[in-house]
């Protein structure tokens, strides 16, 4: 039986880049069925809520979730925001480990962002005097499981891990630092370094090539991963995989719905296509196809750059080039229905 991929186009450029991912997926030798479901602002318009129950049910029972982007000025004043659907989905699937790789030239790093805790999910409200509050909360278990992910990844890469916090000010960060230090004893091969988020942001801009695996809490990871994207070519290139301990992962670009360019054909689908590659690797267990797709995207980036990279290619033309490049590496063979030709 074929595996089901739940596809959530969302808003703005979300549907535009997801369309390219679906074209590319159809060109790959994988036995999957895709279903498209309303999500985000589009679902608010259609069903009154950003994460309708049928969408959530389909995501829960899917092999993986492929997501465009949500949000836009249209819903900014609304009682329910599209972003609430994204947070609800991440929480429902308990995809606590958000891997955000950033790679270009000498730079090759991964931000491992905690995704279902901290300020995003702590108590919030309005006091009688009108004061508004959001709270940052973490318990030991939440910290330990994400820090372990960081160590695991670091042990497969350079064996260097930097844990980013604000332990000079925040109690949650002091817990984070304590737990990271304790967990380190289980990974004697990995060198752990602690860094404060403010000076680490500077380091990320000034010497990104010296950084390998970064593990950090939700809000710091949100901000630092956009910075990492910027130092490696921009948001049009940055992909992500959100993984739990079991169940489907969510694969989505780091960027948002880019309302400023939506509908113009200028969206760079590379971030979405690299997220598709992460889905092939982590969601479908096909690292061979993931590598072929990454190579095809790299090739299209040189031959048909989109406007964000100084080129003139449209979103669709970029997709065409990726499909053409894939045809060179993924070809039918006699023994197997499909095989990846090593480069
Ligand atoms: P954004 O990431 O949408 O855009 C920031 C800038 O990067 C814009 O100038 C945009 O044109 C450019 N950009 C982004 N993706 C691009 C691409 N693929 N190709 C070319 N240029 C690209 O961030 P924003 O403008 O701050 O947010 C817009 C909306 O998106 C907000 O409603 C926000 O909440 C939402 N958002 C959603 C997600 C998500 O769904 N995962 C992520 C971030 C922001
Ligand atoms: C991201 C986005 C989301 C986040 C928003 C849209 C809720 O910025 O995926 O980086 O803050 O996590
Ligand atoms: Mn973000």
């Amino acid at each position: 039986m074929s595996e089901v991929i739940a596809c959530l186009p969302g808003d703005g450029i979300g549907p535009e880049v997801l369309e390219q991912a679906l074209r590319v997926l159809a060109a790959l030798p994988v036995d999957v069925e895709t279903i498209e479901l309303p999500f985000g602002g589009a679902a608010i318009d259609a069903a009154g809520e950003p994460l309708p129950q049928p969408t959530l049910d389909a995501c829960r029972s899917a092999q993986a979730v492929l997501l465009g982007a949500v949000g836009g000025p249209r819903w900014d004043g609304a009682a329910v925001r599209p972003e609430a659907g994204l947070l609800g989905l991440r929480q429902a699937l308990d995809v606590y480990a958000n891997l955000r790789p950033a790679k270009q030239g000498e730079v090759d790093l991964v931000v491992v962002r905690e995704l279902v805790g901290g300020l995003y999910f702590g108590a919030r409200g309005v006091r009688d005097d009108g004061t508004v509050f959001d709270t940052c909360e973490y318990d030991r278990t939440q910290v330990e499981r994400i820090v372990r992910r960081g160590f695991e990844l670091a042990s497969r890469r350079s064996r260097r891990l930097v844990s980013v916090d604000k332990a000079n000010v925040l109690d949650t960060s002091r817990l984070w630092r304590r737990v990271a230090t304790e967990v380190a004893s289980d990974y004697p091969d990995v060198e752990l370094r602690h860094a404060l988020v403010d000076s680490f942001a500077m380091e990320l801009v000034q010497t990104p090539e010296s950084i390998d695996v970064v593990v950090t809490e939700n809000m710091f990871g949100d901000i630092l991963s956009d910075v990492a994207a910027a130092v490696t070519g921009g948001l049009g290139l940055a992909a992500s995989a959100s993984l739990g301990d079991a169940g489907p992962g969510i694969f989505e670009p780091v960027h948002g719905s880019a309302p400023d360019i939506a509908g113009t054909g200028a969206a760079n689908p590379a971030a979405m296509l690299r997220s598709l590659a992460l889905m092939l690797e982590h969601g479908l267990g096909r690292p061979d196809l993931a590598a072929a797709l990454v190579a095809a995207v790299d090739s299209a980036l040189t031959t048909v750059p989109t406007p964000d990279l100084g080129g003139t290619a449209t979103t669709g033309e970029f997709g065409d080039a990726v499909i053409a490049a894939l045809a060179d590496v993924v070809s039918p063979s006699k023994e197997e229905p499909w095989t990846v030709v090593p480069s």
Side-chain angles (χ1 to χ4, degrees):
M1 216 180 65
S2 60
E3 284 162 335
V4 176
I5 310 298
C7 301
L8 314 183
D11 311 311
I13 65 167
E16 301 169 24
V17 293
L18 184 70
E19 182 189 343
Q20 300 311 314
L22 294 180
R23 290 180 64 215
V24 169
L25 185 59
L28 287 167
V30 281
D31 182 20
V32 292
E33 185 191 328
T34 56
I35 45 166
E36 281 189 42
L37 300 144
F39 185 58
I44 294 177
D45 291 350
E49 47 184 335
L51 178 58
Q53 193 64 44
T55 296
L56 177 57
D57 291 344
C59 291
R60 276 192 206 280
S61 53
Q63 180 69 20
V65 179
L66 199 55
L67 197 159
V70 296
R74 245 182 86 194
W75 302 280
D76 278 350
V80 195
R81 296 183 58 108
E83 291 85 351
L86 183 57
L87 300 180
L89 181 64
R90 289 171 177 172
Q91 187 176 43
L93 299 183
D94 198 25
V95 286
Y96 64 87
N98 182 215
L99 311 185
R100 296 190 157 187
K103 193 173 175 186
Q104 191 192 48
E106 306 253 276
V107 183
D108 182 0
L109 62 90
V110 184
V111 176
V112 180
R113 171 190 177 195
E114 201 289 326
L115 201 60
V116 295
L119 264 178
Y120 281 64
F121 295 94
R124 61 178 56 195
V126 186
R127 291 205 196 96
D128 290 344
D129 68 354
T131 310
V132 180
F133 62 95
D134 299 284
T135 50
C136 185
E137 298 178 19
Y138 272 107
D139 66 32
R140 171 172 287 274
T141 315
Q142 281 175 301
V143 178
E144 185 177 340
R145 65 180 185 169
I146 188 68
V147 164
R148 281 196 188 279
R149 287 279 185 147
F151 276 105
E152 301 284 341
L153 186 61
S155 66
R156 294 194 302 274
R157 290 174 51 109
S158 71
R159 294 197 233 115
R160 283 179 294 120
L161 176 66
V162 54
S163 171
V164 176
D165 62 36
K166 185 74 183 173
N168 52 344
V169 176
L170 300 175
D171 278 330
T172 43
S173 280
R174 287 190 273 271
L175 170 71
W176 187 281
R177 200 174 269 223
R178 262 197 321 275
V179 173
T181 305
E182 281 167 26
V183 170
S185 59
D186 290 342
Y187 299 89
D189 292 350
V190 177
E191 178 202 323
L192 171 67
R193 172 167 73 97
H194 301 283
L196 295 171
V197 64
D198 46 357
S199 60
F200 184 75
M202 183 186 68
E203 196 182 322
L204 191 51
V205 171
Q206 289 186 329
T207 51
E209 66 287 344
S210 64
I211 300 168
D212 191 55
V213 182
V214 181
V215 66
T216 192
E217 66 88 51
N218 202 346
M219 177 65 91
F220 298 158
D222 178 45
I223 298 165
L224 293 176
S225 57
D226 271 32
V227 176
V231 300
T232 50
L235 277 173
L237 302 175
S240 93
S242 306
L243 308 170
D245 287 327
I250 304 175
F251 302 88
E252 59 167 320
V254 170
H255 66 69
S257 58
D260 54 337
I261 57 164
T264 67
N268 184 350
M272 180 80 244
L273 295 172
R274 285 175 167 174
S275 303
L276 175 64
L278 290 171
M279 185 191 95
L280 291 164
E281 181 179 351
H282 297 278
L284 298 180
R286 291 298 303 265
D288 55 335
L289 293 179
L293 176 52
V294 166
V297 170
D298 286 348
S299 146
L301 286 170
T302 28
T303 54
V304 287
T306 42
D308 55 316
L309 303 174
T312 56
T314 64
T315 312
E317 286 164 356
F318 192 94
D320 293 343
V322 170
I323 291 167
L326 270 175
D328 296 339
V329 284
V330 182
S331 67
S333 92
K334 289 212 175 72
E335 298 78 41
E336 303 240 333
W338 288 90
T339 182
V340 177
V341 181
S343 51

